[in-house]
Protein backbone atom coordinates (compact mmCIF):
# COMPACT_ATOMS: atom_id res chain seq x y z
CA UNK A 1 0.00 0.00 0.00
CA UNK A 2 2.33 2.72 -1.16
CA UNK A 3 1.86 5.66 -3.44
CA UNK A 4 -0.97 8.06 -2.69
CA UNK A 5 -0.60 8.07 1.09
CA UNK A 6 0.28 11.48 2.53
CA UNK A 7 2.23 10.98 5.77
CA UNK A 8 1.71 14.57 6.99
CA UNK A 9 -1.31 15.43 9.13
CA UNK A 10 -3.61 18.05 7.62
CA UNK A 11 -2.30 20.72 9.98
CA UNK A 12 1.27 20.13 8.75
CA UNK A 13 0.74 21.46 5.22
CA UNK A 14 3.76 23.43 4.04
CA UNK A 15 3.23 27.16 4.30
CA UNK A 16 3.75 29.29 1.25
CA UNK A 17 5.62 32.55 1.37
CA UNK A 18 3.71 35.77 0.81
CA UNK A 19 5.30 36.04 -2.62
CA UNK A 20 4.23 32.50 -3.54
CA UNK A 21 0.68 33.14 -2.32
CA UNK A 22 0.49 36.40 -4.29
CA UNK A 23 1.89 34.75 -7.43
CA UNK A 24 -0.66 31.93 -7.21
CA UNK A 25 -3.46 34.44 -6.65
CA UNK A 26 -2.35 36.49 -9.67
CA UNK A 27 -2.24 33.43 -11.89
CA UNK A 28 -5.79 32.45 -10.92
CA UNK A 29 -7.10 36.02 -11.16
CA UNK A 30 -5.52 36.56 -14.58
CA UNK A 31 -7.14 33.38 -15.88
CA UNK A 32 -10.48 34.45 -14.40
CA UNK A 33 -10.25 37.91 -15.96
CA UNK A 34 -9.20 36.55 -19.35
CA UNK A 35 -12.15 34.14 -19.37
CA UNK A 36 -14.72 36.64 -18.08
CA UNK A 37 -15.70 38.04 -21.47
CA UNK A 38 -14.99 41.56 -20.18
CA UNK A 39 -12.26 43.88 -21.42
CA UNK A 40 -9.01 42.93 -19.74
CA UNK A 41 -5.74 44.82 -20.06
CA UNK A 42 -3.25 41.98 -19.71
CA UNK A 43 -0.23 44.26 -20.01
CA UNK A 44 -1.44 46.56 -17.19
CA UNK A 45 -2.19 43.52 -15.03
CA UNK A 46 1.30 42.08 -15.60
CA UNK A 47 2.95 45.44 -14.88
CA UNK A 48 0.99 45.84 -11.63
CA UNK A 49 1.87 42.28 -10.63
CA UNK A 50 5.59 42.85 -11.28
CA UNK A 51 5.56 46.13 -9.33
CA UNK A 52 3.90 44.43 -6.39
CA UNK A 53 6.31 41.48 -6.54
CA UNK A 54 9.29 43.86 -6.45
CA UNK A 55 7.83 45.63 -3.41
CA UNK A 56 7.09 42.33 -1.68
CA UNK A 57 10.65 41.17 -2.35
CA UNK A 58 12.02 44.31 -0.66
CA UNK A 59 9.76 43.72 2.34
CA UNK A 60 10.83 40.06 2.49
CA UNK A 61 14.52 41.02 2.27
CA UNK A 62 14.00 43.43 5.18
CA UNK A 63 12.23 40.74 7.23
CA UNK A 64 8.75 42.25 7.20
CA UNK A 65 6.95 39.41 5.40
Amino acid sequence: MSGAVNPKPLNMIERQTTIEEFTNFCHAEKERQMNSGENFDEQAFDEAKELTLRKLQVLEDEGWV
Side-chain angles (χ1 to χ4, degrees), residues 6-45:
N6 185 358
K8 291 184 179 179
L10 292 177
N11 63 350
M12 296 293 292
I13 295 173
E14 291 181 33
R15 174 151 161 34
Q16 293 182 327
T17 67
T18 302
I19 291 174
E20 290 170 332
E21 287 180 19
F22 180 73
T23 300
N24 290 336
F25 166 78
C26 285
H27 178 72
E29 181 61 17
K30 184 175 181 178
E31 288 293 318
R32 188 186 73 75
Q33 290 285 339
M34 290 175 70
N35 295 324
S36 71
E38 300 291 323
N39 288 334
F40 175 63
D41 188 341
E42 186 175 355
Q43 182 179 355
F45 182 91

Side-chain angles (χ1 to χ4, degrees), residues 49-63:
K49 174 186 159 190
E50 291 305 315
L51 173 65
T52 304
L53 285 171
R54 285 193 305 270
K55 290 181 178 240
L56 284 171
Q57 187 62 59
V58 168
L59 290 172
E60 185 177 275
D61 292 345
E62 293 176 353

